[in-house]
Amino acid sequence: RLRPLNRLQVILQHLRMSKHTDSTAEVLLEKKGCAGVITLNRPKALNAINISMIRQIYPQIKTWEQDPETCLIIIKGTGEKAFCAGGDVRAIRDAGKLGDRLAQDFFKEEYALNNAVGTCKKPYVALIDGITMGGGVGVSVHGHFRVATEKTLFAMPETAIGKYCLFPDVGGGYFLPRLSGRIGYYLALTGSRLKGRDVLKAGIATHFVDSEKLPALEKDLTGLKSPSTENIADLLNSYHEKSKADQDKPFVLDEHMEKINSLFSGDTVEEIVKKLKQDGSAFANEQLETLNKMSPTSLKLTLRQLREGASMSLQEVLRMEYRLSQACMRGTDFYEGVRAVLIDRDQAPRWKPAALEEVSDEFVDNCFKPLGNDDLKL
């Protein structure tokens, strides 16, 4: 038995540590060797990010950025399934319906976090093992290094019926149009998924490492002594070169790249749909079937978002996306998409408007208009 004084000391010590290392906490923030390590810790929710997690991660990145003892930042997820499957969509929906500030605050603070990752002065290593979608892409893709594994499942499913009606936010308007050819437009409009080494081949990941080797990689990263970005890259490269999984398999989109580049090069969604109909191939028909299930509003916002984002800075893109997020909160399709997928689960959303031609250019223009004092400040 502990003597009373010792027991009190143990309890106080536990309370001091629990904020950052308690296994029940939603996010764990730890210093390991030379590295600050962020662990998303909601495995039952596939490590989906909520606002309380954002409010812990953002200031910690800023603190580590200024700390001379911290040489790099690592972010990872717990559990076997996911790095991070997205944002806490149900909470945003509930807040939006009630007119609660969370519908503004969540997007503002999430995008500020995405910007902190994109502008981080310390090397930032994301171990994207497992499902990496939506909000999970936002806290990984803008960093220096993204390490995929054979378990990685990447998608920006915001337009897709399999998710909800929104647009590929968290800086999607920045990185997607910068992928080779029209891959980014294809991924954004269809919500199509990439697995394993294909995430590397598409240019989303920078390295590929076998999942079982990640603990050893993390140990080696945290054990580096005052490493430069080049030292970290060399270590990641050494693990990458040893990985043989799926090395000889061609990129899953290789056989379709010619069609993706021609069919998804239209200036309007209507033009893309027309090209798909005229093509008539099995691949084109499959994409047409997918787009026909989507919210017409979401498709139009997404295409313009990518076309404009292609020549913008990350900060300009995030400001634009915040305007779009608030337009979606004012509309009906976001709530209807979440209802169909997460609430009633009937997978039968009733979009308004229901057809592309009913979504006017004037409506789309309004969604992109500045919000004055309510604009996102970075």
Side-chain angles (χ1 to χ4, degrees):
R1 287 168 60 89
L2 290 169
R3 293 211 309 272
L5 184 61
N6 284 352
R7 186 187 299 159
L8 181 61
Q9 287 171 332
V10 168
I11 290 168
L12 287 171
Q13 187 179 15
H14 174 73
L15 286 172
R16 279 196 297 270
M17 294 296 291
S18 66
K19 184 182 174 191
H20 293 317
T21 58
D22 179 4
S23 62
T24 62
E26 293 178 324
V27 59
L28 311 178
L29 304 166
E30 303 165 272
K31 191 71 193 304
K32 293 183 182 178
C34 71
V37 181
I38 302 162
T39 308
L40 308 176
N41 192 38
R42 297 180 72 204
K44 287 181 181 170
L46 300 178
N47 297 323
I49 289 187
N50 59 32
I51 197 159
S52 70
M53 294 164 76
I54 292 167
R55 286 173 176 171
Q56 292 174 71
I57 296 168
Y58 178 86
Q60 188 63 73
I61 288 177
K62 291 297 181 186
T63 300
W64 281 333
E65 223 177 5
Q66 301 302 319
D67 175 24
E69 303 294 311
T70 304
C71 299
L72 75 147
I73 296 171
I74 298 169
I75 187 167
K76 61 179 183 172
T78 48
E80 295 293 310
K81 293 182 179 176
F83 164 67
C84 173
D88 196 342
V89 180
R90 192 186 286 239
I92 301 163
R93 172 199 183 264
D94 293 346
K97 291 204 88 162
L98 294 169
D100 188 279
R101 274 204 62 84
L102 178 66
Q104 296 165 291
D105 293 345
F106 180 87
F107 290 105
K108 268 191 175 169
E109 295 182 41
E110 183 182 30
Y111 296 173
L113 174 57
N114 302 151
N115 186 54
V117 172
T119 58
C120 189
K121 295 181 180 73
K122 298 287 170 76
Y124 186 98
V125 182
L127 306 177
I128 54 172
D129 188 34
I131 299 166
T132 304
M133 296 185 183
V137 176
V139 293
S140 58
V141 78
H142 304 299
H144 301 88
F145 303 108
R146 287 87 64 192
V147 181
T149 76
E150 72 279 7
K151 292 183 183 175
T152 304
L153 178 62
F154 167 93
M156 294 300 281
E158 287 78 2
T159 55
I161 181 163
K163 193 70 172 170
Y164 46 89
C165 160
L166 202 56
F167 56 95
D169 64 337
V170 297
Y174 181 78
F175 82 90
L176 287 165
R178 286 167 170 79
L179 298 179
S180 67
R182 304 296 283 190
I183 288 177
Y185 292 81
Y186 163 74
L187 294 173
L189 292 168
T190 65
S192 185
R193 299 174 171 198
L194 293 174
K195 296 177 183 177
R197 204 175 275 270
D198 287 331
V199 180
L200 172 79
K201 290 174 179 171
I204 295 154
T206 58
H207 295 81
F208 183 91
V209 173
D210 296 344
S211 181
E212 62 179 29
K213 295 290 193 332
L214 289 183
L217 172 61
E218 185 184 337
K219 189 178 177 187
D220 284 349
L221 283 168
T222 58
L224 291 169
K225 304 294 181 212
S226 303
S228 64
T229 304
E230 289 73 23
N231 299 148
I232 293 163
D234 288 345
L235 179 59
L236 292 171
N237 289 340
S238 71
Y239 271 82
H240 173 84
E241 283 158 13
K242 287 174 196 158
S243 174
K244 303 293 181 236
D246 298 334
Q247 200 174 36
D248 301 324
K249 278 176 70 175
F251 180 36
V252 71
L253 296 179
D254 266 353
E255 62 178 309
H256 304 302
M257 272 318 299
E258 200 176 323
K259 285 196 183 297
I260 287 171
N261 289 339
S262 63
L263 299 175
F264 285 85
S265 64
D267 292 342
T268 65
V269 182
E270 289 91 338
E271 200 179 317
I272 290 170
V273 167
K274 186 180 174 186
K275 284 173 179 258
L276 290 167
K277 283 178 178 171
Q278 286 174 341
D279 185 88
S281 65
F283 176 77
N285 289 338
E286 190 183 329
Q287 308 321 310
L288 196 56
E289 194 179 326
T290 300
L291 295 185
N292 283 336
K293 293 175 183 172
M294 308 275 187
S295 154
T297 301
S298 194
L299 289 172
K300 287 207 168 183
L301 294 182
T302 295
L303 182 59
R304 176 153 165 195
Q305 171 207 2
L306 266 60
R307 286 171 59 81
E308 297 208 358
S311 57
M312 287 179 167
S313 68
L314 176 60
Q315 291 72 37
E316 288 168 333
V317 165
L318 290 167
R319 271 192 285 276
M320 169 181 70
E321 291 180 357
Y322 181 70
R323 294 166 186 170
L324 293 180
S325 77
Q326 296 312 291
C328 289
M329 293 300 103
R330 294 192 299 269
T332 60
D333 278 7
F334 170 72
Y335 305 100
E336 177 59 11
V338 177
R339 179 207 63 75
V341 176
L342 296 179
I343 312 295
D344 299 337
R345 298 176 185 268
D346 59 17
Q347 310 297 320
R350 295 178 288 278
W351 306 126
K352 291 179 187 173
L356 285 169
E357 56 271 21
E358 293 171 30
V359 183
S360 69
D361 291 343
E362 184 185 8
F363 171 82
V364 173
D365 288 343
N366 282 332
C367 293
F368 284 81
K369 278 186 177 171
L371 299 172
N373 290 335
D374 291 329
D375 255 333
L376 177 66
K377 293 163 187 70
L378 293 170

